[in-house]
Amino acid sequence: KHSVTFILITENNSYESIEDFASLWRIYSHIGFGYTTENQILNHLNINQTIPLPALVVVNDDIYERTELYQPSTSHISKEDIYKWMELRAFPIYKEFNLLNWRTITKNGKMTVIALVDPKGGEQHIKYSQTMQRIACKNKNKFNFGWFNVVEYQRFIYQFRYSHYPACVVYDVPKDIYYANYSNPTEEYEIEQFLEAAKNGTVIARGGGSGPW
């Protein structure tokens, strides 16, 4: 099961058409990729509009809007345009950060919200992650979202100077600074207020070192 799946809808089983799309994403094993000639799948995915084929749809972990349709800005569709669209949607909206994906995910210039949780830490950590996923889905266009395992990455997380978890940090990757809220709010509206304050620069900026790694 994949958290992100791209579905190509074609008019026929043209090898060239399928190969052209699939070749873009072979290097990313965490992504699901499939194709179909049955455009009825659009109804199943709750996409109620007539679209030209071939078409590309992504299904992800957005709890409010699970699907998104590739809609080019011009009539000319290039392989490069498709690649960029897929690259921006290649990871779950609320994903687990690690050494391999951090730089890829954060290179888009957006601030990155990092939840610091222990996936085996009990109900408090589970509920916090669920809250962060809801926030991520509502604010996916403003920030990158993800989480670090505080046990596995404690050496790197130490720099954020939290004394207890779960917690979250807003990291400005281009500037290499972060924003922390040491009162550790757990309510959804309180966390969203903190994120907005960080984005507006009304929270104390910290860091300026070598980044998470």
Side-chain angles (χ1 to χ4, degrees):
K1 183 179 179 180
H2 298 277
S3 297
V4 177
T5 300
F6 290 98
I7 303 172
L8 171 65
I9 307 168
T10 66
E11 293 180 291
N12 51 57
N13 286 320
S14 164
Y15 174 81
E16 290 78 11
S17 178
I18 295 166
E19 178 68 9
D20 195 41
F21 279 82
S23 65
L24 294 170
W25 224 251
R26 283 203 181 93
I27 59 173
Y28 289 86
S29 60
H30 67 278
I31 290 175
F33 190 95
Y35 70 92
T36 180
T37 58
E38 299 292 330
N39 59 16
Q40 289 89 345
I41 195 172
L42 292 171
N43 293 327
H44 178 71
L45 296 173
N46 294 319
I47 298 175
N48 302 312
Q49 63 185 93
T50 302
I51 59 173
L53 300 180
L56 185 62
V57 177
V58 62
V59 183
N60 57 32
D61 63 325
D62 190 330
I63 58 178
Y64 301 108
E65 190 174 7
R66 292 296 305 279
T67 61
E68 186 177 350
L69 177 67
Y70 171 68
Q71 296 180 299
S73 56
T74 66
S75 58
H76 174 69
I77 302 175
S78 70
K79 198 170 183 177
E80 183 180 359
D81 291 337
I82 296 170
Y83 182 90
K84 289 179 179 178
W85 187 85
M86 294 175 74
E87 186 177 38
L88 289 172
R89 293 155 180 82
F91 294 92
I93 294 168
Y94 180 64
K95 73 284 291 175
E96 180 179 6
F97 287 129
N98 56 49
L99 290 169
L100 298 176
N101 67 22
W102 169 260
R103 295 193 185 280
T104 300
I105 292 168
T106 59
K107 69 180 182 181
N108 59 15
K110 290 193 292 187
M111 286 184 170
T112 299
V113 179
I114 308 170
L116 308 174
V117 296
D118 178 359
K120 298 180 181 179
E123 185 176 358
Q124 182 184 17
H125 286 259
I126 293 172
K127 285 185 175 180
Y128 191 85
S129 268
Q130 291 171 341
T131 298
M132 291 303 298
Q133 178 158 16
R134 289 194 300 271
I135 293 172
C137 292
K138 289 190 292 181
N139 296 275
K140 62 184 179 182
N141 295 322
K142 296 180 181 179
F143 303 92
N144 301 309
F145 283 89
W147 60 277
F148 272 124
N149 185 322
V150 295
V151 177
E152 185 176 353
Y153 289 99
Q154 58 180 315
R155 176 183 170 187
F156 306 109
I157 290 170
Y158 175 76
Q159 69 177 303
F160 300 132
R161 304 181 186 278
Y162 276 96
S163 59
H164 59 281
Y165 306 98
C168 78
V169 169
V170 179
Y171 206 103
D172 190 327
V173 175
K175 296 179 181 178
D176 196 15
I177 56 176
Y178 70 88
Y179 303 89
N181 186 339
Y182 297 114
S183 64
N184 289 54
T186 57
E187 294 295 329
E188 190 167 330
Y189 77 94
E190 292 178 315
I191 297 173
E192 287 188 292
Q193 286 176 347
F194 163 60
L195 302 189
E196 198 62 31
K199 187 173 179 61
N200 294 333
T202 56
V203 181
I204 296 174
R206 307 171 188 272
S210 59
W213 313 125

